Amino acid sequence: GGRMEVLEEKEEEEQREEEELKALEISDNLQDMETKVSVEQVCVPRDVPDFDWSSTDMSQLPSSYKTNSLKEKKLLHIADHFLQQYAHLCPDRKPLFLHRVNECGVEKFVSTTVRPTLLPYAELYHWDGCASFVSDHLTMEPLESPITPPSSLYSPTTILKYQRGNCFDFSVLLCSMLIGAGYDAYCVHGYATREICTLDETLELCPLLRKPQEVPKEGMKKSNKYRVKPPRDLQSKFELQQEAKKKAETEAAPKNKEREEEKEVEKPEHDPLHGLRVHAWVLVLSGKKDVPETFFINPFTGNSHSTMDERFLGIESVWNHKNYWVNMQDCRNGCKDLIFDLSDTIRWEIMLSGSSKPLQLLSDAEEEKEFADKETDDTQEKEEEDMSFDMPPSWVAPIQIYPREFETRCSEGRKVILYKKAKLEKWAPYLNGNGLVKRLTVYADLDCTEVVEVREWFKNREDMLDMREVNKQTQLTTDYFSPGHLLSLKAYTYTSLEPETEYTMEFYNEARVDGLQKRVETANEMTEYFAGRDDFLHVRYMEFGKRGKKIHLAGTRTDINSRPIVQIKECFHRNPEKPADEDVAERIFLIREDMIQLTYHLKDKYITASKKDFFKAAEGDRKGNEIVMTPEMCITYQAGSSEKEEKLLHLYELLLELTAEEKQLKQQVQQSEAEALKILKIRENEETNVKLTVSIYNTERNEKRRQQYEAMKNTTEDELWGRGEQDLDYLEPFLIQVGHREKMTKGQALRVRDDCLTDLKHRLINKANIIQARLEKAAEELQKKDQWFQQNQNRLSAEEKDDFLARRSETTFHIQILALRLNREKQTAPQKYLALEEKLRRDPRLAEHFGHT
């Protein structure tokens, strides 16, 4: 009778559960019907091509994918038990994501799908490298229903093979990589906003455009004590304020209107499923790997988020490869108020508690009612077993990413991400012939029609081009180079690569002899900036006149068609070894006026600088090539000096020196022009014939190197083989003695054989004698050292004793090695002798006389 009652109760319970499930299904169906339109809009993204998982071949997968071990079966039983308790205690909450079928249709617990793996790439040792790889490598697939978790969970190896998956697949792979790299990472089953769940970043600012937060600097307040007071302003300040206010309002009105319109456009539409959309992401706890603060990673984008981020609306549960935790905290305010202390059993219900506090169990009466048919008198023993149960090892095969896959990154080698007023494109290295790997296009409007700026990043360029910025409004292009360019270029800003157009060139001045840092050229001017020069020159400015003939080619000789120089101006830093009024700060060579102006550095406590203006004599006033110096040819101003004027001879010598320098400067200016034209020509050639460098270790791409290596390897092997054969010809020295005869008599053959064997015997004996002598010498030295130590033991300090004992142990070890070598030589000598004797018997040159006996 008791048995029948139990069966009836069981049937009633099953019926009740079925009814509850049906009710849940009906409510879900009603909700699905109400939001059918929005679901359809979300579930079929335009950029995801059709892919049929059912057509994939899963037959070659390992046996662990197709069956469950005894431990895994027991784990599933514990999970079901845990789920029943959870459903009883929390009837209002959604079912837990505890176990799902894998790609082979076998039920697997979610923790065992996590496979911790450290991959052999330096980039994947850090969380952001792992996150960016997963987000780039995989193609996002939406969930079948946005408000329910997936019905299956595939292994990370299958996800990597087909490069696609939903948020749960992304999270499990990323979590496996992060745990392998040493992070305290967990997969999270929770809820997020529509933009997060559907990978919609059109309202997000591109990370490449985010400006770093500037720390405001408190400027030093200058004293206004001695400033001259301005005349009193008799205008009404109030009237001025009112006018300015009206003007600002009229100017700001259209801008404010535009901003409001933009905000309305930017504001996301109301989501009827807000708070219900299921999402999976990764939680990284602080502590391990010097992580200072707990944070989330959205696997779709690879971006990190604060746990206070309002876009994450709640958490159901978290798990890693060792355990599973259910969140028991209130998520009305999203994840803001959550405390991520997983050891707190009140806030986080743990499934396999082990040595922790016991699980929250049902009361005795309810337990008898619920599990009377399953549980016997040893219920408590089984529960204790459950509590100490360890998670079985992962059923997933080792995760592998081959170098080619790691380099290719994106599915099919290309990825496009749309941001707010920006578009980011990524390519695999070597996919584009010009080395392009990333391009950011910035737009002026939200519809992305008017281009403002384009930034491009390059890799593996032979010309060391690293990045290019094109400003569509100013039509200026700036190329940035890595160190190592042929002409030490660092950056080059231009409108076109035609000669004599406006440009700015920046150089790695450390790599240049002249220390040139920057060169700026306009239509009639050229300015050069220097750094680290011994002559303290830091700026050289050149002004040109109009030339008669226009230049045609970049390679045209500059001495014929160079522009006439109007003036050259040079600025110098202070030379501390010279007095200020003798240290030139600025000198100007006015070529057409035949003038040279010198301005010296300011002396301490002076507000005027010393100056010298030279007026060179006209050609008619010169006697031959010599300059005749007169007092009128130099005007001098000496700041704060009442001394006599400088002697005419000194001024004459200075003028001669300056005239010679002017001549050199003209040549220098021509060289600068020629160099600029040379750079233009080289840049033009580099852009028309782009060459990419390939590492010598990259055997797949570097075909030429591979062929060279194989040819060299074959040649070397042949040479070594031939040389080895010659080296191994043990009869060569003895055959010389009989004259290399093709036919030898038996006596000659016997003599050659005996000589060869005798020679080997002597060599073996000599080798043993040398080792024996070294051994005896080492033993004798050790004996002497021991005698010296016994005699001087009392006078030695503790450090000296330790030093002696360390050296003695080294000597003892050396003696042991020598003894082993001697013993080995004695043992192997007879074998070597017999082996050579056998070779001689078989040698074709001697075999006819001795045969094989």
Side-chain angles (χ1 to χ4, degrees), residues 122-136 174 177-178 181 183 284 289 295 297 301-304 409 426:
E123 193 182 328
L124 302 184
Y125 294 168
H126 200 261
W127 74 263
D128 53 358
C130 295
S132 64
F133 174 79
V134 170
S135 65
D136 287 345
L174 178 55
M177 291 166 71
L178 290 174
Y183 288 92
V284 181
K289 290 275 280 193
F295 65 96
I297 304 173
T301 60
N303 297 334
S304 64
R409 280 296 182 96
K426 294 180 182 180

Side-chain angles (χ1 to χ4, degrees), residues 652-746:
Y652 175 69
E653 286 173 350
L654 182 57
L655 181 59
L656 285 177
E657 190 183 322
L658 290 169
T659 308
E661 285 190 19
E662 184 182 320
K663 194 176 178 182
Q664 286 179 354
L665 271 175
K666 284 179 179 176
Q667 291 177 353
Q668 183 63 50
V669 171
Q670 288 176 354
Q671 286 173 11
S672 293
E673 284 190 283
E675 188 188 53
L677 293 170
K678 184 184 175 186
I679 289 171
L680 286 172
K681 192 173 183 182
I682 286 172
R683 283 297 301 129
E684 204 171 347
N685 290 337
E686 285 172 346
E687 284 304 320
T688 48
N689 305 306
V690 176
K691 291 180 182 175
L692 301 180
T693 57
V694 181
S695 169
I696 57 169
Y697 302 108
N698 192 336
T699 51
E700 285 185 25
R701 283 202 175 84
N702 204 329
E703 189 64 28
K704 186 180 175 184
R705 287 275 183 187
R706 191 172 63 80
Q707 288 172 358
Q708 285 177 354
Y709 173 73
E710 285 179 0
M712 184 186 75
K713 190 180 172 186
N714 294 336
T715 310
T716 311
E717 280 179 358
D718 292 344
E719 286 176 3
L720 285 171
W721 180 256
R723 201 183 301 149
E725 284 293 315
Q726 290 172 2
D727 292 344
L728 289 171
D729 193 357
Y730 34 83
L731 287 179
E732 186 71 23
F734 308 105
L735 289 172
I736 292 168
Q737 295 173 14
V738 295
H740 274 296
R741 295 177 187 176
E742 290 183 10
K743 283 279 182 182
M744 285 190 289
T745 61
K746 190 171 182 179

Side-chain angles (χ1 to χ4, degrees), residues 30 61 67 147 174 177 185 284 297 461 466 479 545 583 613 722 726 762 823 839:
L30 285 168
L61 293 171
T67 55
I147 59 171
L174 178 55
M177 291 166 71
V284 181
I297 304 173
R461 289 267 295 225
D466 191 46
D479 293 344
D583 186 17
D613 290 354
Q726 290 172 2
H762 285 315
N823 189 35
K839 281 182 183 176

